[in-house]
């Protein structure tokens, strides 16, 4: 396990053990998302923008959107390097990019674009990025392939509500292991529940290649929520609904192969 760090970008290496992989021996999508978050957390320590530091000022991080592409998920036994950095800021949003590569840097296992918000813990409303974040964003010259959004701009803003053409609602409960440092369901758990809503036979034959998720309303501990989906060719749209099924916690679209 090795680490390379500076304010502009941060890299950390991981070994893919058996418990990190699925039935086919490939890295689980949820575990991949967790690794991305781990490396981002390590980087924010060097940026003096980690959760603990923000909490001292009544702030925290919340993920608004992720666009994740997985050309070739690493298999059990592989060693991978996860690199993260911040491009230039955009209004209230703090973008963060990731690259997951093998021993050969040209071996691109996955890459991701995320949008984060600095949120006031007292009002739970977004606030503008700190001067520190403004000064260090855009310093890295790292590049990744341009991810193609799966959601239209309108869908990114408002999402979509299911109708009779969508799957039956699959019920879940936010358990203790699903809760993050903000006291809400982790973003990777949303994605895992979307995957879990599919039949086993579908998952045996298909692999998620890309996914874009927008997170709108947090899911609190012990809350009941529902996942519904609609398949259109290799694309699958998802919604995560509250117990009353009248509020969108999140929505997404994924490409399966």
């Amino acid at each position: 396990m090795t680490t390379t760090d500076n304010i502009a970008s941060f890299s950390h290496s991981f070994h893919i053990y058996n418990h990190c992989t699925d039935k086919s021996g490939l890295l689980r999508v949820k575990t991949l998302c967790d690794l991305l978050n781990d490396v981002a957390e390590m980087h924010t320590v060097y940026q003096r923008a980690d959760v603990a530091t923000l909490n001292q000022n009544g702030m925290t991080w919340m993920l608004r959107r992720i666009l994740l592409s997985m050309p070739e998920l690493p298999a059990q036994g592989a060693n991978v390097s996860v690199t993260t950095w911040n491009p230039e800021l955009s209004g209230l949003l703090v973008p963060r990019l990731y690259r997951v590569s093998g021993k050969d840097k040209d071996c691109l296992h996955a890459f991701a674009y995320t949008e984060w918000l600095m949120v006031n813990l007292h009002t739970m409303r977004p606030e503008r990025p700190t001067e520190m974040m403004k000064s260090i964003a855009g310093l890295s010259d790292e590049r990744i392939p341009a991810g193609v959004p799966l959601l239209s701009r309108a869908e990114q803003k408002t999402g979509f509500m299911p109708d009779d053409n969508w799957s039956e609602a699959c019920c879940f409960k936010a358990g203790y292991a699903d809760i993050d440092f903000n006291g809400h369901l982790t973003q990777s758990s949303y994605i895992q529940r979307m995957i879990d809503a599919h039949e086993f036979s579908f998952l045996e034959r298909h692999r998620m290649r890309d996914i874009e998720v927008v997170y709108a309303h947090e899911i609190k501990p012990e809350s009941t929520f529902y996942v519904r989906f609609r398949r259109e060719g290799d694309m699958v749209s998802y919604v995560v609904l509250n117990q009353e099924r009248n509020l969108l916690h999140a929505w997404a679209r994924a490409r399966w192969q």
Side-chain angles (χ1 to χ4, degrees):
M1 183 180 297
T2 59
T3 298
T4 303
D5 56 82
N6 56 58
I7 288 182
S9 65
F10 184 93
S11 296
H12 192 76
S13 296
F14 298 91
H15 181 78
I16 307 303
Y17 292 97
N18 181 54
H19 68 269
C20 301
T21 61
D22 59 17
K23 183 173 177 289
S24 64
L26 297 178
L27 181 66
R28 292 190 184 94
V29 177
K30 181 185 186 303
T31 306
L32 170 61
C33 293
D34 290 337
L35 295 182
L36 299 183
N37 284 336
D38 286 345
V39 175
E41 183 179 6
M42 296 177 199
H43 189 203
T44 58
V45 170
Y46 288 93
Q47 296 174 317
R48 289 182 288 166
D50 55 291
V51 171
T53 300
L54 290 185
N55 284 174
Q56 292 174 3
N57 297 300
M59 305 276 285
T60 192
W61 286 111
M62 282 195 180
L63 181 62
R64 165 61 179 166
R65 184 168 72 97
I66 181 171
L67 175 58
L68 173 63
S69 184
M70 299 161 282
E72 186 181 347
L73 285 170
Q76 176 189 346
N79 292 307
V80 300
S81 176
V82 181
T83 301
T84 186
W85 65 100
N86 296 105
E88 293 183 0
L89 304 188
S90 177
L92 291 175
L93 298 173
V94 179
R96 177 172 287 278
L97 296 171
Y98 305 83
R99 185 188 67 245
V100 182
S101 54
K103 286 184 178 180
D104 181 355
K105 197 173 181 179
D106 293 333
C107 176
L108 187 63
H109 290 297
F111 56 93
Y113 169 82
T114 58
E115 292 174 345
W116 295 81
L117 292 168
M118 281 188 171
V119 174
N120 186 302
L121 286 170
H122 304 292
T123 65
M124 296 310 294
R125 296 184 63 84
E127 293 201 5
R128 293 199 172 276
T130 62
E131 291 302 319
M132 175 64 176
M133 286 303 303
K134 291 179 183 178
S135 66
I136 62 181
L139 295 179
S140 174
D141 59 359
E142 292 275 355
R143 295 289 182 269
I144 60 171
V148 178
L150 305 179
L151 300 170
S152 69
R153 285 182 176 260
E155 289 171 334
Q156 289 176 10
K157 292 181 179 180
T158 62
F160 29 74
M161 291 297 288
D163 55 31
D164 293 341
N165 296 316
W166 288 59
S167 70
E168 292 296 319
C170 191
C171 182
F172 298 98
K173 189 174 182 178
Y176 184 84
D178 298 317
I179 304 305
D180 65 10
F181 53 80
N182 285 323
H184 306 144
L185 192 79
T186 67
Q187 57 261 35
S188 61
S189 292
Y190 284 80
I191 296 176
Q192 184 60 56
R193 298 304 184 269
M194 294 174 195
I195 295 172
D196 291 342
H198 288 282
E199 294 181 354
F200 192 87
S201 58
F202 174 84
L203 299 175
E204 284 270 76
R205 301 191 307 270
H206 299 85
R207 180 180 78 82
M208 184 182 285
R209 173 63 169 73
D210 308 280
I211 186 169
E212 182 175 5
V213 187
V214 175
Y215 301 90
H217 294 94
E218 69 275 7
I219 297 177
K220 297 181 179 179
E222 298 188 330
S223 296
T224 297
F225 61 96
Y226 294 88
V227 176
R228 296 185 68 183
F229 64 86
R230 181 183 63 189
R231 292 180 59 187
E232 295 178 288
D234 64 348
M235 292 288 192
V236 183
S237 300
Y238 301 88
V239 290
V240 181
L241 299 157
N242 64 341
Q243 186 168 3
E244 293 72 29
R245 308 189 201 186
N246 58 5
L247 176 73
L248 285 171
H249 287 295
W251 57 91
R253 183 166 293 132
R255 179 184 290 110
W256 292 79
Q257 63 182 30

